[in-house]
Every structure is written in C-alpha cells, then in structure tokens.
Amino acid sequence: MAAAHCFGRASTALAALLLLSFGSFAASQIEDQAEQFFRSGHTNNWAVLVCTSRFWFNYRHVANTLSVYRSVKRLGIPDSHIVLMLADDMACNPRNPKPATVFSHKNMELNVYGDDVEVDYRSYEVTVENFLRVLTGRIPPSTPRSKRLLSDDRSNILIYMTGHGGNGFLKFQDSEEITNIELADAFEQMWQKRRYNELLFIIDTCQGASMYERFYSPNIMALASSQVGEDSLSHQPDPAIGVHLMDRYTFYVLEFLEEINPASQTNMNDLFQVCPKSLCVSTPGHRTDLFQRDPKNVLITDFFGSVRKVEITTETISLQQYSEMESSYKEDQMDEELMEPLKYAEQLPVAQIIHQKPKLKDWHPPGGFILGLWALIIMVFFKTYGIKHMKFIF
Amino acid sequence: MAAAMPLALVVLLLLGPGGPARAESPRDSLREELVITPLPSGDVAATFQFRIRWDSELQREGVSHYRLFPKALGQLISKYSLRELHLSFTQGFWRTRYWGPPFLQASSGAELWVWFQDTVTDVDKSWKELSNVLSGIFCASLNFIDSTNTVTPTASFKPLGLANDTDHYFLRYAVLPREVVCTENLTPWKKLLPCSSKAGLSVLLKADRLFHTRYHSQAVHIRPICRNARCTSISWELRQTLSVVFDAFITGQGKKDWSLFRMFSRTLTEPCPLASESRVYVDITNYSQDNETVEVNPPPTTTYEDVILGTRRTYAVYDLLDTAMINNSRNLNLQLKWKKPPENGYIHYQPAQDRLQPHLLEMLIQLPANSVTKVSIQFERALLKWTEYTPDPNHGFYISPSVLSALVPSMVAAKPVDWEGSPLFNTLFPVSDGSSYFVRLYTEPLLVNLPTPDFSMPYNVICLTCTVVAVCYGSFYNLLTRTFHIEEPSTGGLAKRLANLIRRARGVPPL
C-alpha cells in the first residue's frame, strides 16, 4: 500500500517534472520567436563612405575611410553596394614614399588601400551637392550604376564620414560645408522616399556629436568620435611617411572590427564601448533614441557585413536546352561578306589636308547686347541731330 | 537483316557527332605580349599588350554571347555606335631624349578620343553619355568631359582602324590633364582581361610595383580591323596596353642588373589558358659604347629581328606556350645582366649642410675619343640671414671653380726622368709610366648675381613711421588735449618800469 502510494507520488512528481520541462521549453521557444521578431528585417546592405579632406597632411582621413572600406568589404558587402568618396588621392600622391599604398599602422604594417579598390567619387567630385544627391537619389540620368545608392526600404545603410568639422558643420575640401540641419533633412528625405530600413551614421571629426543632434527621422543610430567642444585627435605619425596615419577613434574601431567575422554575434553595445576616454582623449558619443530596436540586439554585421538570410529549397529547376542557345549563336555566323576590300585610313594625308576647306561657322544672329548697343547709339544720334535726318534714311 | 543492322548503326554513329556536339571554331582569340626594353639611360621599359580579336559584327543589336571580349565594352560599341575608342590614363612623361622613341605615347592624365559611326544623329549627346559610362567603368572622373574641354580635330587623329570615309564631324577628342592614375583605375582594367590577374602575363600586374615607376600609361583601344588578307570582312580588335618605365636608381638601387622578380616582385608561372599566343620579347640590340653587352638569362631559343621605329632591332623571344620553357623550372624569371669591362666609374658625392660644409662631387670618367662630354650640376644657394651679408652684396656670390685632374695619353712616349738632372719645369708632377702625362686643369669661378635685400629699408621705414606718427598723431593729440584760453597781458615788473624810465628819457614810446 505504501509502495503503491510511493509509486503514485513518484509518478505524479515525474509527470509534474515532465510538464514543467515542457512548459519551460515552450516558454523558451516563444522567447526565441519573440526575439526573431525583433531581429532586423533588412535584406541588403549598403555603405556610403566619405572622406572630405584634401591635401597630403590630411592623409589620416583617407586612411580612416579606407580602413572602414576594407572592413566592410571583408565582411561581405560587395563593391557594387559601396559608394566610396575620397576627396584626394594619397596612394599615388607624389609625396607618398611607397606609391599605391595607404597605411593605417606605423611601420607600414597594414595597407588598407589594397589591390582591389574601386573609388566611385574622387577628387573634385566629392562635393556637398554630390553627396546629398547620392543620399536622396536625385542623380542626373547619365550617372553610372557604380555611383548610385540604389537602396530600397529593406536596406541597412552604413554612412561613415570623416574630415574636419566644427559645431554643427563638416568641411568639404576646404571650400564648402554641410550643416547638421542639411544632413538631417537629407535623412528625412530618404525616410520619406523609403530608401532605408535602418541607418547607422558614424562620424569622426572634431565636435562630431553636433552632427547628429538634429536628426529626427526614425531608425537612425549615430556614433561620433567626440562631443561638442572637444577635438578628435590623431593617432600616431609614421616617420617614414611623415604624417599622422589615422585618427584615434577610427583606429580603435578598426582594431575592433578586425576581430569580427561574418558569423560574429557581437552587438552594438560593444561598439559603443570602443575607445574610452583614456585611449581617445575625447569622449565618443552615440545616439539611439530614434532607433526602434534595443542596441544590444543589433549585430555589428547588420550594418558592417552583408549577411543574407538563406532559405534552402529542395525544388528542382530545369535549365534551358543548350541547342536553343546554339541556334541563336549560329545566326551570328552569317556575316555579310563585302564585295570590295576595305582599307585602313592614311594617318597623315598631307595633300588632302592642305586642300580641305575649313568648315564655315554657322551664322548666328547678333545677340541682345549688340542689338541694344546699336539701338542706343542710333537713338542718341537722332536725338542730338534731330529727327529730320530720318527722312534721308527711310 | 543482321548485316543491315550493324550498317544502320554505323551510319548513325557517323551522323551522331554532327548534331548538337559540333565543335565550334573559336570566334575570338587572345594574344598577350610583353616587351622589355633596356633604355640608354639605364632604366628598363616594359610594355604589356593584350589583344582580343573578335570576328563578329557588333553593330547589330542582340549580340549576347560574349566569351573573351568583355561584355562591358561590347555593349558600349553597340549602344553608342562606336567605330573606334581610345582611352588612356597616364602618369609621368616619356622622356624621348633619354629613353628613345616610345611605342605608343599618351597624354599625361586621361585622354579619350572616339570615332562614331555615321549613323549617329546627335554626336555630342552620345559623347557625353559615353564619357559618363566610361567614368563608371574605370573609376575615373571622366564625367568632367564636356564642351569646355572637347574638340573636334579636323586634320589629325585619323582612324587607326578600317575606314571608308572620314568625316571629322564624327570624331571627338578630350584630355583631362589633372586626372590621377592609381590602383582604382588599374583594378577595372585588369578585370577586363580574360584571365584577369590569375594566369599568363597579367600575374605581373601588381599595383605596388607598377606605380613605383617614372612613367605609367594604361590604355584601351578598340577598332575594326581586317579579318583576313583580302580584307573583305571586319573583325573587332580590343587592345589593352600598359607601359611602365622602371627607374634604375629607385628600383635597382643603382645596379643595372634586372630581373622580372626585381621589377614586378613576381615571376611567370604559366600562360593564360585562353590565349592563343603568349610571348615575352627582350630587346637585345647590343649597345656599342664602352663594349657593353646585355646578357639574358635563360638564353632564348629564338630571336626576332626587324626594323622598328626606324632602326634595326633584335629581340629575344620567350614563348610561354612552349612547354619546354616553363617545365624546366616551373617559373620563368628573366634576368638581364650588363657585361661591362671591369673598371667602373667612381662617384663620390657629399651633400652640403647649411653653414657647415659645401657640396663635394668627385667623379672618375672615361672620356670616349672624338666626343664632347658635358657635366652639369644643379644647386641652390640658401637664403642668408641679414647679418650674414657682406657690405657689398650686389657684387654677387662666388662659386669655387671645378678641378679636372686628367691622365692624357701622350703622342710620344716619354722616358722617366732623373729629378736632379732635369730642368725644374719637367719635375712638377711625378710620372709613373711614359704613355700618358698628368695634368690638372681648372674652370673659371662662377660669379652669381643673387637678389639681395634692401638694407636701407629699416632706416627708411623708421623715418617714415616716425614722421607720420609725429605729424598726425601729434596734431590729433594736441587738438584733443590742449585747451586754449585768452591770456591777459602781464602788467610788468620792476625791470619793465626801469626800462620805461630810460625810454622816456630818450623820447621813445614806452613798452
């Protein structure tokens, strides 16, 4: 009797235990599903990397941008999805002691320029107007594809800017500026046109935090290298090259990103901790109030990498038969055979050149200025000498 | 019946291969070539050419099967109705005086000239769109080409390919001298090659070596050419050329031995499998001055001789498709060595340090007979501090003369003299052997007139400033701070009364 009682109690205990475990399992599944719900809904990644400074002594800004370019390419974003804007050429600059290289670490340890780089906007093309046109998509129709930001509403875009800046503005090539209000308005235009899903804005300039103060569009997360009133400092010079190679904030961001691979689960909170005041001298800042997800759920690879969600299917697709392609190829063989032989043009036909007549320029009617000038002269003449001369003219 | 079946089978077998598995003769072919030319100044020029010939009519729309010919350029030809396209990016300048004539020279910066077909209605619009598309393909700012830098040459730039009539209305030419060439232009250029940079001669194209040169020029040329000797049909030719000149001093550390590894930091391992010809030519036309000869290692199996650019030249040929060439060592590292007579020149140079030591240049030269040798050196005088000038600086500054110590061959052999027995004028310099005599010659000193500062300037400035300050400021100060008031004349003292007394005595009016 006692044994049966014991057995009964044991069985109920076992049942209770099983039920509990099932319950917790179901709860964790729901939690997983909930977390899946809050993961990013992006399907493609874009990056717009801008260096706004010209001249050899601003080598570090080009190195900053190229180090982010290198990380972003390494983590999977292809060149067709990167818009790289460099305001000056440092690699093939006559002052560069090692041509075709841009180094980020002293003693020439890491060449961030690499062998496979595609710069989309270079030299004089890096202007405020072109930058805003790239962001908003209002580009002249003949612009090639590599110079366009063809993002849609499921794109996560990384925007990185570096250069010289101040409180509320960023200097482009020492001749013009972009203000934080213009930038915020550009992002709002992008939001209205559904050109991004989420946007990560990183800026490495003096007083960088002032550039993200005015953002008001949703789904933007921003990081800056220094607060308002602080200067962002450069990292280390190289005695052989003679200039500072990188800025501190981007240097430590590069070291942080070198640890990331496409499968990393590192999240944005780790990126916020990069470069504390002891290393950076300035205080890096960030802004997440416009962002809907919690930064600790946002993976670094959501913005810096191009991690695609792959769905494996077991359906089969049958390919077209080769013979169909070949029949169209056969038609190409039937080329016209010309009757008389062709010949190459003479490169310097002296006799022909001497005797050719120069083309007569088209006659244009005189412009408004000339007409007005003559009318004035004639009017003055007739006013002075009297209208009686008119009858001799007409 | 039994015999008929095998017959039917045999017939089927004969017909079988004639169906879908018919072998196509390739319609496009690739030839790659590298020419290495040692230049008279000691530098080495390397010219790569990759040529794809496509036997097809590209004008017809609907061509979609591209094999070796890059699709990006093929689509350009059909979309913009091009007849010829020549685009080059160059950094540096080809110094014809030191290097001899070039195979193909290009304008520094970016140069684009295009012949359109005569079916094009709006040439300027096509030209603008074409330059935009090319700027995207080659990562260059060719979109800055517009009417302000485009011309239509009327007599030069005749088509380099087949042409039946040349109406220059369809030609456009533009140059962007400010355009920089760097790896970002080389990368898409390399991607147009069929073997990219993986096999064949294109493995040598490494950016960090190619841009460390005195001259770098890469170009794309598209033109129609004759398909056969009778020239009754057209083929399209795409040539990608790349010329570089490696500096002897920078790359070779002053030595004149060259090898592929030293120039490109790579060696050739295998030919491009898609190439029908893959050759390296080395210019071994011997140099006759100073009995120098060029020795090439490994020794070539064949040579090629022809009249190139007006002179007869000999080239050593290395065919990468020849299996014996590569199989021996698994890689081909051509080496050029200069064989010179053992006595070399000697150069010693000590640069100047301001206010410490002057320049010193000593050179041992062998002067060839019946020739003129000019030696020149450029220098700068540093700006002096104003206390360091002499009292008469407008006289100029002296540069010390150069000294020439020479061993001149004698026409008549002299015998060694006894110092005590011979006259004094014969024993100035010791003579070791009688075949030559020693002489020391000097050039004139150089007097250089340099701009000098105006030493009276401080004195003039002080005078002028003080005058201005005294007159203007002084007057202003007086006007502001002085007050004027009428003064009663003083009635006078004892001396005045005494004087008036004397005057009354004399009969003169009083004071």
Side-chain angles (χ1 to χ4, degrees):
Chain A
M1 193 57 144
H5 194 112
C6 245
F7 182 72
R9 208 185 294 170
S11 68
T12 46
L14 195 66
L17 200 68
L18 276 169
L19 210 66
L20 209 68
S21 64
F22 269 131
S24 69
F25 181 61
S28 70
Q29 256 212 331
I30 292 173
E31 207 177 280
D32 259 340
Q33 276 177 5
E35 217 175 291
Q36 286 281 350
F37 181 74
F38 284 114
R39 269 191 208 224
S40 174
H42 70 281
T43 58
N44 55 77
N45 284 81
W46 287 81
V48 178
L49 311 173
V50 183
C51 160
T52 60
S53 300
R54 182 167 271 279
F55 305 122
W56 174 245
F57 47 80
N58 290 322
Y59 182 102
R60 58 189 189 278
H61 296 141
V62 172
N64 288 350
T65 318
L66 285 172
S67 56
V68 177
Y69 173 77
R70 167 208 154 77
S71 309
V72 146
K73 254 180 98 152
R74 198 174 52 83
L75 293 172
I77 303 187
D79 271 313
S80 54
H81 282 227
I82 303 178
V83 177
L84 178 60
M85 305 171 82
L86 296 180
D88 202 357
D89 167 57
M90 298 301 166
C92 289
N93 196 309
R95 292 170 79 163
N96 192 347
K98 291 210 66 163
T101 56
V102 173
F103 292 108
S104 59
H105 290 61
K106 72 171 181 213
N107 299 326
M108 303 184 186
E109 280 168 22
L110 179 59
N111 174 18
V112 288
Y113 194 59
D115 216 10
D116 186 21
V117 57
E118 288 184 18
V119 181
D120 301 304
Y121 286 84
R122 58 182 194 158
S123 190
Y124 299 124
E125 294 175 297
V126 178
T127 57
V128 173
E129 182 188 340
N130 282 349
F131 174 61
L132 292 177
R133 282 187 186 276
V134 163
L135 286 185
T136 54
R138 297 172 186 221
I139 282 191
S142 52
T143 318
R145 262 186 94 99
S146 56
K147 288 183 166 172
R148 292 178 190 244
L149 179 65
L150 299 165
S151 56
D152 53 27
D153 63 325
R154 290 268 137 248
S155 307
N156 273 12
I157 308 184
L158 164 72
I159 298 186
Y160 176 83
M161 302 183 76
T162 182
H164 289 288
N167 189 356
F169 68 92
L170 172 63
K171 210 165 59 149
F172 266 69
Q173 294 212 41
D174 216 11
S175 68
E176 49 181 4
E177 298 153 358
I178 186 172
T179 57
N180 47 6
I181 303 173
E182 284 173 1
L183 195 56
D185 287 342
F187 287 161
E188 177 64 15
Q189 274 195 53
M190 287 173 81
W191 175 251
Q192 297 286 339
K193 290 169 83 159
R194 299 281 177 264
R195 279 171 69 78
Y196 70 90
N197 174 38
E198 285 168 346
L199 202 139
L200 175 64
F201 176 77
I202 306 182
I203 184 158
D204 188 346
T205 63
C206 302
Q207 308 194 50
S210 64
M211 289 305 284
Y212 62 62
E213 274 173 358
R214 299 291 198 127
F215 292 166
Y216 54 94
S217 319
N219 284 352
I220 300 184
M221 190 187 314
L223 281 102
S225 59
S226 55
Q227 301 293 332
V228 175
E230 287 180 341
D231 285 339
S232 288
L233 301 178
S234 54
H235 185 58
Q236 46 177 244
D238 181 299
I241 300 179
V243 284
H244 285 264
L245 295 180
M246 286 270 274
D247 279 330
R248 282 177 190 249
Y249 181 69
T250 313
F251 181 81
Y252 290 107
V253 166
L254 173 67
E255 299 221 313
F256 172 78
L257 288 174
E258 289 286 299
E259 312 280 319
I260 309 279
N261 55 60
S264 294
Q265 298 291 309
T266 333
N267 55 40
M268 279 295 165
N269 275 342
D270 302 323
L271 187 58
F272 295 156
Q273 308 305 323
V274 161
C275 208
K277 198 171 162 76
S278 55
L279 289 172
C280 254
V281 183
S282 56
T283 321
H286 55 89
R287 179 177 176 179
T288 52
D289 55 314
L290 296 165
F291 206 74
Q292 279 172 11
R293 293 190 288 151
D294 192 345
K296 76 174 191 319
N297 290 331
V298 180
L299 299 178
I300 299 283
T301 50
D302 281 349
F303 288 102
F304 286 89
S306 186
V307 179
R308 307 300 185 93
K309 296 182 184 12
V310 176
E311 204 181 286
I312 301 185
T313 172
T314 48
E315 292 172 21
T316 53
I317 303 173
S318 55
L319 299 170
Q320 222 182 19
Q321 290 290 328
Y322 180 65
S323 55
E324 286 177 30
M325 269 166 41
E326 204 207 271
S327 59
S328 62
Y329 190 46
K330 243 192 295 186
E331 283 167 21
D332 294 342
Q333 289 179 16
M334 308 301 170
D335 294 324
E336 308 110 48
E337 282 255 340
L338 301 157
M339 283 304 108
E340 78 269 7
L342 304 154
K343 53 188 193 324
Y344 292 104
E346 216 184 297
Q347 288 302 299
L348 204 60
V350 178
Q352 186 195 343
I353 291 172
I354 292 176
H355 291 113
Q356 77 185 17
K357 288 193 187 7
K359 256 175 60 112
L360 292 165
K361 278 172 51 159
D362 299 331
W363 180 80
H364 296 284
F369 176 72
I370 302 289
L371 279 175
L373 192 66
W374 278 108
L376 187 69
I377 293 172
I378 290 172
M379 206 179 67
V380 166
F381 173 76
F382 282 119
K383 279 215 58 124
T384 327
Y385 295 108
I387 209 77
K388 61 183 186 293
H389 292 276
M390 285 281 277
K391 68 171 185 288
F392 292 107
I393 310 286
F394 294 104
Chain B
M1 197 61 171
M5 278 245 291
L7 188 66
L9 267 169
V10 163
V11 167
L12 263 169
L13 278 166
L14 278 173
L15 284 174
R22 182 162 51 127
E24 282 290 323
S25 59
R27 314 235 321 150
D28 45 13
S29 60
L30 166 70
R31 283 174 60 175
E32 49 181 31
E33 171 186 287
L34 164 62
V35 181
I36 300 182
T37 316
L39 298 169
S41 60
D43 308 319
V44 170
T47 308
F48 290 85
Q49 282 206 49
F50 300 90
R51 184 257 216 170
I52 300 172
R53 194 185 101 163
W54 194 14
D55 304 332
S56 158
E57 289 283 328
L58 270 174
Q59 279 93 314
R60 283 185 297 130
E61 297 285 338
V63 173
S64 59
H65 186 76
Y66 291 89
R67 197 178 138 244
L68 295 179
F69 201 95
K71 183 170 172 180
L73 297 179
Q75 288 184 323
L76 274 187
I77 299 177
S78 45
K79 179 157 187 232
Y80 295 106
S81 306
L82 300 180
R83 191 160 72 184
E84 283 192 25
L85 179 127
H86 302 272
L87 171 64
S88 64
F89 296 99
T90 311
Q91 163 226 321
F93 183 68
W94 182 276
R95 313 220 162 253
T96 312
R97 190 144 47 112
Y98 302 113
W99 296 343
F103 288 121
L104 184 69
Q105 193 177 1
S107 156
S108 203
E111 185 192 33
L112 173 67
W113 58 280
V114 172
W115 274 93
F116 289 92
Q117 302 276 355
D118 36 12
T119 53
V120 173
T121 45
D122 192 346
V123 178
D124 290 315
K125 181 160 159 298
S126 300
W127 169 250
K128 184 87 182 103
E129 286 179 14
L130 177 66
S131 44
N132 275 326
V133 170
L134 286 171
S135 88
I137 297 177
F138 290 100
C139 288
S141 35
L142 296 175
N143 47 319
F144 284 133
I145 291 179
D146 56 8
S147 63
T148 58
N149 47 28
T150 307
V151 289
T152 306
T154 55
S156 50
F157 288 101
K158 298 273 184 214
L160 288 173
L162 292 173
N164 41 6
D165 79 288
T166 57
D167 183 2
H168 279 254
Y169 172 68
F170 295 102
L171 167 65
R172 291 290 182 274
Y173 174 89
V175 167
L176 293 172
R178 183 70 168 93
E179 198 61 25
V180 173
V181 192
C182 208
T183 314
E184 65 244 26
N185 306 113
L186 183 65
T187 307
W189 189 94
K190 277 198 290 191
K191 286 185 182 164
L192 294 174
L193 298 171
C195 277
S196 191
S197 49
K198 309 280 192 299
L201 294 176
S202 41
V203 299
L204 298 177
L205 300 173
K206 287 294 156 204
D208 54 342
R209 307 299 298 165
L210 289 179
F211 288 102
H212 204 47
T213 53
R214 291 181 65 173
Y215 175 80
H216 173 107
S217 175
Q218 63 192 54
V220 169
H221 301 281
I222 301 177
R223 58 178 180 169
I225 57 169
C226 295
R227 195 181 298 189
N228 44 28
R230 287 169 312 157
C231 213
T232 46
S233 41
I234 295 180
S235 294
W236 283 90
E237 179 193 73
L238 164 69
R239 275 195 201 220
Q240 290 180 254
T241 63
L242 192 138
S243 295
V244 286
V245 174
F246 290 98
D247 193 295
F249 190 70
I250 294 174
T251 328
Q253 285 100 42
K255 296 197 283 275
K256 283 163 84 170
D257 289 341
W258 288 102
S259 69
L260 282 183
F261 188 76
R262 177 178 279 161
M263 288 194 275
F264 301 106
S265 69
R266 291 281 185 290
T267 56
L268 294 168
T269 48
E270 51 167 345
C272 176
L274 301 167
S276 58
E277 261 181 54
S278 184
R279 294 212 181 116
V280 180
Y281 292 86
V282 182
D283 188 346
I284 52 172
T285 315
N286 289 339
Y287 286 81
S288 58
Q289 60 195 37
D290 291 354
N291 295 327
E292 284 178 50
T293 52
V294 174
E295 184 206 326
V296 190
N297 181 25
T301 45
T302 49
T303 56
Y304 171 73
E305 207 180 292
D306 204 352
V307 176
I308 309 284
L309 292 168
T311 52
R312 180 157 286 278
R313 294 189 174 275
T314 316
Y315 292 90
V317 183
Y318 296 89
D319 195 344
L320 288 177
L321 291 171
D322 183 7
T323 43
M325 180 79 50
I326 303 284
N327 267 350
N328 286 342
S329 54
R330 285 300 300 160
N331 66 353
L332 178 65
N333 184 18
L334 289 171
Q335 284 162 328
L336 284 91
K337 284 205 215 335
W338 295 73
K339 288 206 296 224
K340 293 181 70 141
E343 44 182 310
N344 270 327
Y346 167 81
I347 290 188
H348 173 237
Y349 175 63
Q350 190 185 57
Q353 281 179 304
D354 282 351
R355 302 178 180 85
L356 271 182
Q357 66 189 22
H359 288 288
L360 169 66
L361 175 64
E362 281 183 273
M363 291 192 297
L364 176 68
I365 321 172
Q366 249 191 353
L367 298 175
N370 288 331
S371 63
V372 175
T373 305
K374 274 195 199 166
V375 177
S376 60
I377 179 171
Q378 280 183 328
F379 60 92
E380 278 180 10
R381 296 288 296 207
L383 208 56
L384 293 176
K385 301 182 186 163
W386 74 292
T387 46
E388 293 171 344
Y389 281 92
T390 56
D392 58 346
N394 46 340
H395 178 79
F397 294 89
Y398 283 94
I399 313 290
S400 42
S402 322
V403 184
L404 198 65
S405 315
L407 264 181
V408 185
S410 298
M411 298 220 267
V412 179
K415 15 185 235 307
V417 289
D418 172 29
W419 275 56
E420 295 309 316
S422 54
L424 294 172
F425 60 76
N426 207 8
T427 54
L428 282 167
F429 293 110
V431 167
S432 48
D433 72 290
S435 62
S436 54
Y437 62 94
F438 180 78
V439 69
R440 188 166 279 150
L441 305 170
Y442 291 82
T443 64
E444 292 171 17
L446 182 64
L447 181 59
V448 181
N449 218 348
L450 290 175
T452 49
D454 179 6
F455 292 102
S456 64
M457 187 266 286
Y459 171 74
N460 292 339
V461 167
I462 291 170
C463 281
L464 191 67
T465 318
C466 289
T467 310
V468 166
V469 165
V471 170
C472 296
Y473 176 71
S475 315
F476 210 56
Y477 177 79
N478 284 339
L479 276 171
L480 287 176
T481 52
R482 287 190 192 208
T483 56
F484 296 93
H485 55 264
I486 314 264
E487 225 182 43
E488 295 297 320
S490 56
T491 43
L494 178 68
K496 192 160 169 213
R497 262 184 257 144
L498 266 171
N500 277 339
L501 230 65
I502 299 171
R503 286 174 86 98
R504 211 168 329 136
R506 284 170 63 199
V508 172
L511 284 168

